[in-house]
Amino acid sequence: MKITSLLRLGAMTTAALLAANVQAADPLRIGVAVGLSGANSVVAPAAVQSSQLAVDEINAAGGILGRKVELEIVDDASGAVGAQKAFDTLVFQKKVAAIIAMENSAARNAALPVVSKGKVPYIYTSFYEGRSCNNWMYVNGWVPEQQVAPVVDYFQKSKSAKTFFLVGNDYAFGRGMLDFTRKYIEQKGGKVVGEEYLPIDGSDWTSVISKLRAAKPDALISATAGGAPNVSLAKQLKGAGLTLPYGNLAIDEGTAKTMGDVASGMYMSASYLTGIDIPENKKFLDAMKKKFGADLKTPNELSEPQYEAFFLYKAAVEKAGSTDAAKVVKALGEVSFTGPRGAVSMNRSRHTPLSMRLGQVQADGSIKILETFASVDPGAQCPNLK
């Protein structure tokens, strides 16, 4: 009987080990929802490329807890309806362990109820208007408290700007960014002489530019959806012959390079630029060039945080010792990763202290860094989330 019991125990142990090995060998699927169509299609390819590089590097180093990582990439069509469908697919059909996504604010807001229902960790990697809070979401992009001051302060000090005209797309990002910008300008003694919006799918800025010309401001600041609206507004401003100081709160380096001389002279504030001179950024850029060659899309403010987020998720899983969603979400606020932007940790109201760079677009599309502001605090974004 003892021998029989031992044999049974041995068989059970072997079966358990085999099951554990099979489970360990199962790929760990991570979802990427991104605007492959619609307004964000200009910037989405770069975010996909940085995701692919991150997964390659993680898998080459043994994966996450010994499991190979697989990407599940879906198109959110750069909007609310598409995002609901994309997240529903990732959460309930693909059953991903986490979602890491660069999306516009309309898409993010529509996706959050799906994330809550499915209880899936979500790292939102885009810069945005701030104060979007959810028990399952962390953010590693910048918010207005980090991004607006460098542009406004520079215009007031270096361009003697006293009056400002604000232009945006009529949705959460545009409204939220310019609401913060208006309040900051007034706090600093400036005056907003005009504020105009166009629907996110609009492309004719003629009436807005007419009002801008009539207002005769000292400076212009815009907050449009990333990608196509940036391009159409800049082209029409140039076509109208307007040359006043222009700060763009939504431009990324990749889009600026595709715009040629249309973007030349534009000011921007960013946490990531290819010109950041640290070893981690050089390593990142070299790896991107090696992997994608002539097909490489310019790494930028909307794609680098996507790369970085995979390593933050990996660190959280390893700290938790599990892919259990609740444990990983807790750990996401306790880990850090040193990458192309430097050391990043989502430990401030589920947001990230970031070093910001004030830059100006040059004639060749490159960005000249004018000033750097170290470790800018995001402020109390989500103080009630534990």
Side-chain angles (χ1 to χ4, degrees):
M1 290 181 66
K2 288 183 178 180
I3 293 174
T4 302
S5 297
L6 287 171
L7 288 172
R8 286 178 181 171
L9 180 60
M12 290 170 64
T13 302
T14 301
L17 288 171
L18 287 172
N21 287 336
V22 169
Q23 184 179 11
D26 287 344
L28 186 63
R29 291 187 293 275
I30 296 178
V32 173
V34 68
L36 299 173
S37 61
N40 276 2
S41 60
V42 175
V43 294
V48 171
Q49 286 187 344
S50 62
S51 300
Q52 292 169 333
L53 176 64
V55 169
D56 282 359
E57 291 181 351
I58 288 171
N59 285 338
I64 298 178
L65 294 184
R67 296 172 65 181
K68 179 182 178 182
V69 177
E70 286 188 358
L71 281 177
E72 293 285 354
I73 300 172
V74 294
D75 181 14
D76 70 13
S78 302
V81 175
Q84 286 179 320
K85 293 178 180 178
F87 273 64
D88 188 76
T89 296
L90 290 172
V91 173
F92 299 112
Q93 295 180 33
K94 301 295 185 179
K95 298 189 182 301
V96 296
I99 296 176
I100 296 173
M102 183 286 295
E103 302 179 288
N104 65 36
S105 293
R108 180 201 66 246
N109 287 342
L112 283 174
V114 183
V115 169
S116 295
K117 184 178 179 181
K119 298 181 179 179
V120 173
Y122 173 29
I123 302 179
Y124 182 58
T125 65
S126 178
F127 54 72
Y128 84 114
E129 70 282 359
R131 290 173 172 75
S132 181
C133 303
N134 183 280
N135 287 321
W136 299 96
M137 183 176 74
Y138 279 79
V139 181
N140 71 335
W142 57 248
V143 291
E145 286 86 341
Q146 296 166 303
Q147 202 252 1
V148 170
V151 174
V152 173
D153 291 353
Y154 182 80
F155 283 174
Q156 289 186 321
K157 294 175 183 176
S158 299
K159 302 296 181 181
S160 300
K162 296 180 180 178
T163 59
F164 295 78
F165 197 97
L166 309 181
V167 176
N169 278 133
D170 192 7
Y171 78 118
F173 175 76
R175 291 278 181 179
M177 286 298 300
L178 295 186
D179 179 63
F180 183 94
T181 302
R182 184 192 337 105
K183 291 175 181 176
Y184 185 79
I185 288 171
E186 292 170 351
Q187 176 190 330
K188 300 292 286 188
K191 182 179 179 181
V192 174
V193 294
E195 185 172 341
E196 295 293 326
Y197 295 88
L198 202 68
I200 194 170
D201 57 352
S203 59
D204 185 358
W205 298 91
T206 304
S207 64
V208 173
I209 292 174
S210 177
K211 292 176 182 178
L212 167 62
R213 191 190 299 275
K216 298 180 180 180
D218 296 326
L220 165 66
I221 295 179
S222 71
T224 62
N230 265 327
V231 178
S232 63
L233 175 58
K235 284 184 176 179
Q236 289 170 50
L237 286 168
K238 186 175 180 63
L242 292 170
T243 58
L244 74 170
Y246 176 19
N248 191 323
L249 303 183
I251 194 71
D252 67 279
E253 189 170 355
T255 302
K257 285 194 173 182
T258 67
M259 290 165 65
D261 66 347
V262 172
S264 181
M266 190 181 293
Y267 293 88
M268 64 190 297
S269 177
S271 65
Y272 177 76
L273 293 168
T274 56
I276 295 175
D277 188 15
I278 60 174
E280 290 82 4
N281 189 40
K282 183 179 186 304
K283 178 183 176 183
F284 168 68
L285 293 173
D286 288 346
M288 290 292 286
K289 291 172 185 175
K290 182 178 180 180
K291 180 171 176 61
F292 297 105
D295 296 325
L296 175 65
K297 307 300 179 183
T298 302
N300 59 73
E301 182 81 302
L302 289 166
S303 69
E304 188 280 338
Q306 185 77 12
Y307 168 84
E308 180 184 277
F310 280 86
F311 292 92
L312 288 167
Y313 175 73
K314 178 179 185 291
V317 171
E318 291 173 348
K319 181 176 179 64
S322 167
T323 58
D324 177 83
K327 293 179 181 178
V328 171
V329 163
K330 181 179 184 299
L332 280 170
E334 302 170 352
V335 298
S336 64
F337 172 69
T338 301
R341 292 192 290 182
V344 170
S345 180
M346 300 180 291
N347 62 354
R348 293 285 295 161
S349 286
R350 299 193 176 211
H351 287 66
T352 315
L354 293 167
S355 291
M356 301 299 296
R357 284 93 180 172
L358 175 68
Q360 185 178 31
V361 182
Q362 304 300 293
D364 62 356
S366 64
I367 310 297
K368 180 181 179 180
I369 298 176
L370 303 177
E371 196 170 353
T372 298
F373 307 85
S375 193
V376 182
D377 196 291
Q381 295 294 320
C382 302
N384 298 322
L385 290 183
K386 304 299 181 183

